[in-house]
């Protein structure tokens, strides 16, 4: 009954403005093309962070149910890998159209469960949609290579084949984009997939599963299991799963990377970040300050590419005042309210953690330029809100600098030269993104060459590449060697087979046991 109630509210309502789940139900798993109720005795609440109100529950999928999902993916693989790539692409063409049709519905579900503003949630869907669009060109992306007459009468060619059953484990901060980084690429390559959404925000994945079915994805090609650590460990240990895409924190990511690798799986693991912006005194002031405020506080700082640290070089320090004025003007409210700039952070414990890190900065000697703690949003008094916060005079030994805060907190540091600023960034353990704001090509080029970060912005605050490139975090922000989407994403979800063939009239040359060499 609960499963049906939940489905009818989130999956089949065409109006994006649905009820607020007055009767919390239980989400279903999605196995073999069916939305199936779990028999789990343990459940986890999905909570609207603007109200701290339980929307519904997700089951902690049992071991048997998990294996049923893997078996469904395994059973679907032989027919799916032999389905022409053009057919697989056409299903992605359908899917991108359906995602466009239902963007508002998915975005509403994201805002309800995750808290970000509706506009930002639409962006979350759109950035995922772009990966679906890219997967529509899989026939070219998956092509192998051919070398003719590598030896007399011998040609060699390589084929990129799907791996089999692959899995994805998702974080809470992009409920649509990150599942869409994973399964569209994997399945269009010919794999089948088991997705574990974040237990905090599973609704968008469930809508996407329904759209994938409507697009024509055969039963069993995409499966969804809910849960937390136990389900993740099942994914790491399962002998039928060949590859895992993970996005989330370093604690979980490194655990999954080592546990799954020990079982012979390939893993791509995108993890935490501390993204810096270096501000040169010659930068264009207005545009830079607007970019810093948007990238620092958008999505309440809960983006892995959020700008969390500003390094003012020389004179640019005087812009701190302008930064504070702009940040102060931002509207904090429920993401469903019009004109909201920042919604709540994901949970009570996230709010407590963010506030503790702010406090540790103050105790450590940082100057509190703008204090977003203790904010109360009328009508949403129980929500997990933190207002824009700016700490200045931050040094690299402070806890608030060493830890990823993942909230609307901007740290300001000071450097006398570009060299010193680059040195600060390079000493940080993370390497997701870094940006420079300048009008000097010389400074920009030096920054691009010397900075140790995977994604570099030059007058661009959040340099996340579109899907024809890859998402290229580095250092502690990434484990593995093939990044998400783009060419690397296709390589991750395929294995190479190299064929050497000889077609010629073979003269009888007798038997030679020597190692064959090119003739
Ligand atoms: P999280 O690590 O808590 O959860 C991510 C997934 O891992 C969830 O599905 C969760 O169930 C599972 N998980 C969590 N702890 C686990 C454990 N101990 N054992 C097994 N599984 C576990 O991350 P989150 O809080 O949902 O997301 C925020 C983090 O994700 C931030 O660190 C952020 O920087 C990072 N992130 C990185 C990128 C990127 O591309 N680099 C993108 C988005 C988010």
């Amino acid at each position: 009954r609960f499963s049906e109630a939940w489905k009818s509210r989130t999956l089949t309502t065409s109006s994006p403005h649905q009820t607020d789940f007055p009767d919390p139900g239980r989400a279903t798993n999605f196995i073999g093309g069916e939305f199936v109720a779990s028999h789990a005795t343990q459940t986890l609440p999905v909570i609207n962070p603007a109200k701290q109100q339980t929307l519904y529950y997700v089951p902690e999928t049992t071991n048997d149910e998990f294996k049923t999902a893997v078996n469904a993916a395994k059973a679907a693989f032989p027919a799916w890998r032999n389905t022409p790539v053009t057919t697989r692409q056409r299903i992605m063409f359908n899917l991108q159209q359906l995602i466009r049709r239902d963007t508002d519905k998915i975005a509403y579900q994201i805002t309800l469960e995750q808290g970000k503003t509706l506009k930002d949630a639409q962006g979350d869907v759109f950035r995922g949609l772009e990966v679906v669009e890219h997967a529509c060109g899989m026939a070219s992306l998956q092509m192998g290579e051919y070398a003719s007459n590598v030896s007399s009468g011998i040609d060699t060619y390589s084929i990129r084949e799907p791996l089999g059953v692959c899995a994805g484990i998702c974080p809470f901060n992009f409920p649509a984009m990150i599942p869409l980084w994973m399964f569209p690429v994997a399945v269009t390559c010919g794999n089948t997939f088991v997705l574990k959404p974040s237990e905090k925000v599973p609704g968008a994945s469930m809508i996407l599963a329904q759209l994938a079915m409507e697009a024509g994805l055969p039963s069993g090609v995409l499966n969804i299991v809910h849960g937390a650590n136990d389900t993740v460990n099942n994914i790491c240990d399962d002998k039928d799963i060949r590859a895992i895409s993970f996005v989330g924190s370093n604690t979980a990511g490194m655990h999954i990377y080592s546990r799954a690798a020990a079982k012979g799986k390939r893993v791509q693991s995108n993890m935490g970040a501390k993204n810096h912006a270096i501000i040169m005194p010659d930068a264009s002031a207005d545009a830079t300050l607007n970019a810093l405020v948007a990238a620092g506080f958008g999505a309440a700082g809960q983006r892995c590419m959020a700008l969390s640290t500003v390094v003012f070089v020389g004179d640019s320090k005087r812009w701190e005042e302008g930064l504070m004025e702009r940040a102060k003007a931002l509207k904090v409210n429920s993401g469903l309210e019009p004109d909201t700039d920042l919604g709540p952070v994901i949970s009570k414990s996230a709010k407590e953690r963010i506030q503790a890190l702010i406090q540790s900065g103050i105790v450590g000697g940082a100057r509190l330029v703008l204090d977003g703690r203790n904010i109360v949003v009328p009508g949403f008094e129980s929500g997990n809100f933190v207002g824009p916060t700016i700490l200045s005079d931050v040094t690299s030994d402070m806890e608030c600098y060493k830890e990823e805060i993942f909230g609307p907190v901007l740290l300001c540091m000071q450097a006398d030269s570009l060299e010193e600023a680059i040195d600060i960034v390079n000493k940080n353990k993370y390497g997701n993104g870094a940006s420079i704001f300048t009008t000097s090509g010389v400074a920009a080029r030096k920054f691009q060459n010397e900075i140790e970060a995977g994604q570099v912005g030059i007058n661009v605050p959040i340099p996340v590449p579109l899907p024809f490139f890859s998402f290229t975090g580095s250092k502690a922000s990434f484990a593995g060697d093939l990044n998400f989407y783009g060419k690397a994403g296709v390589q991750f979800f395929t294995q190479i087979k190299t064929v050497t063939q000889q077609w010629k009239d073979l003269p009888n040359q007798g038997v030679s046991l020597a190692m064959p060499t090119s003739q």
Side-chain angles (χ1 to χ4, degrees), residues 221-519:
V221 173
L222 172 66
N223 305 273
I224 296 184
V225 289
H226 298 293
N229 298 13
D230 290 348
T231 311
V232 169
N233 288 338
N234 275 335
I235 291 173
C236 293
D237 295 346
D238 192 279
K239 66 177 178 36
D240 292 317
I241 292 177
R242 298 285 313 281
I244 300 176
S245 277
F246 169 81
V247 181
S249 65
N250 284 62
T251 310
M254 289 316 296
H255 164 73
I256 291 164
Y257 186 74
S258 51
R259 185 161 177 155
K263 299 280 177 181
K265 299 183 203 318
R266 40 172 93 171
V267 182
Q268 51 177 194
S269 179
N270 267 13
M271 299 176 287
K274 198 87 183 172
N275 306 307
H276 296 67
I278 293 180
I279 315 302
M280 299 302 287
D282 62 6
S284 153
D286 260 354
T288 303
L289 289 173
N290 288 342
L292 293 181
V293 168
F297 302 116
Q302 299 175 116
R303 292 182 184 135
C304 64
M305 285 292 281
L307 273 184
S308 53
T309 309
V310 181
V311 186
F312 288 110
V313 176
D315 254 8
S316 68
K317 165 105 174 132
R318 65 197 151 86
W319 297 359
E320 208 175 87
E321 179 72 15
L323 191 61
M324 192 269 283
E325 291 300 335
R326 282 171 170 79
K328 218 164 117 179
L330 297 174
K331 264 201 196 154
V332 182
N333 205 338
S334 157
L336 292 177
E337 297 299 313
D339 302 327
T340 300
D341 294 308
L342 279 81
V345 297
I346 187 69
S347 62
K348 257 193 177 347
S349 61
K351 178 176 171 168
E352 283 160 13
R353 193 180 153 276
I354 293 163
Q355 292 188 335
L357 281 165
I358 296 170
Q359 186 58 29
S360 80
I362 299 166
V363 171
R367 196 159 44 86
L368 189 60
V369 174
L370 184 64
D371 188 359
R373 299 171 297 172
N374 309 317
I375 188 170
V376 176
V377 176
F380 298 92
E381 288 77 6
S382 319
N384 307 313
F385 294 94
V386 181
T389 299
I390 299 178
L391 284 170
S392 187
D393 301 335
V394 170
T395 52
S396 47
D397 56 340
M398 292 179 186
E399 210 50 32
C400 65
Y401 177 76
K402 289 191 277 185
E403 288 289 313
E404 180 185 36
I405 301 179
F406 223 56
V409 183
L410 203 49
L411 307 183
C412 297
M413 301 173 89
Q414 172 75 42
D416 290 334
S417 62
L418 176 58
E419 286 75 15
E420 190 188 333
I422 290 176
D423 192 51
I424 291 173
V425 180
N426 287 351
K427 282 196 173 122
N428 193 281
K429 69 175 173 175
Y430 294 110
N432 222 29
S435 295
I436 188 169
F437 289 83
T438 182
T439 48
S440 157
V442 176
R445 191 165 188 279
K446 181 181 172 67
F447 176 80
Q448 177 207 296
N449 285 340
E450 296 181 13
I451 206 74
E452 292 169 11
Q455 300 174 108
V456 173
I458 297 173
N459 297 318
V460 172
I462 305 186
V464 176
L466 290 175
F468 18 91
F469 293 94
S470 298
F471 188 103
T472 49
S474 66
K475 291 162 71 182
S477 299
F478 179 70
D481 51 11
L482 290 169
N483 294 109
F484 278 77
Y485 60 77
K487 285 182 190 146
V490 176
Q491 287 166 6
F492 180 76
F493 284 119
T494 52
Q495 58 194 340
I496 299 183
K497 185 181 271 176
T498 314
V499 181
T500 301
Q501 64 175 3
Q502 175 171 263
W503 293 111
K504 67 175 183 182
D505 292 331
L506 299 170
N508 188 348
Q509 291 174 331
V511 176
S512 168
L513 300 194
M515 181 68 186
T517 54
S518 177
Q519 306 285 327

Side-chain angles (χ1 to χ4, degrees), residues 90-169:
R90 270 179 214 119
I91 294 170
M92 288 301 123
F93 275 114
N94 295 342
L95 181 60
Q96 67 84 25
Q97 214 171 1
L98 296 172
I99 292 173
R100 276 178 200 280
R101 184 195 71 190
D102 286 357
T103 292
D104 286 351
K105 176 176 170 177
I106 305 169
Y108 180 81
Q109 196 66 32
I110 291 174
T111 299
L112 206 57
E113 298 179 10
Q114 201 273 353
K116 63 178 73 174
T117 65
L118 275 176
K119 194 154 188 237
D120 198 30
Q122 284 163 348
D124 183 332
V125 178
F126 194 82
R127 293 303 294 253
L129 174 73
E130 289 174 325
V131 181
V132 179
E133 289 171 345
H134 191 60
C136 291
M138 192 54 76
S140 318
L141 296 169
Q142 201 173 346
M143 272 182 189
E145 294 175 319
Y146 192 102
S148 172
N149 217 34
V150 293
S151 187
S152 173
I154 293 185
D155 311 313
T156 299
Y157 55 95
S158 63
I159 308 169
R160 289 210 159 268
E161 295 190 324
L163 303 168
V165 182
C166 301
I169 301 165

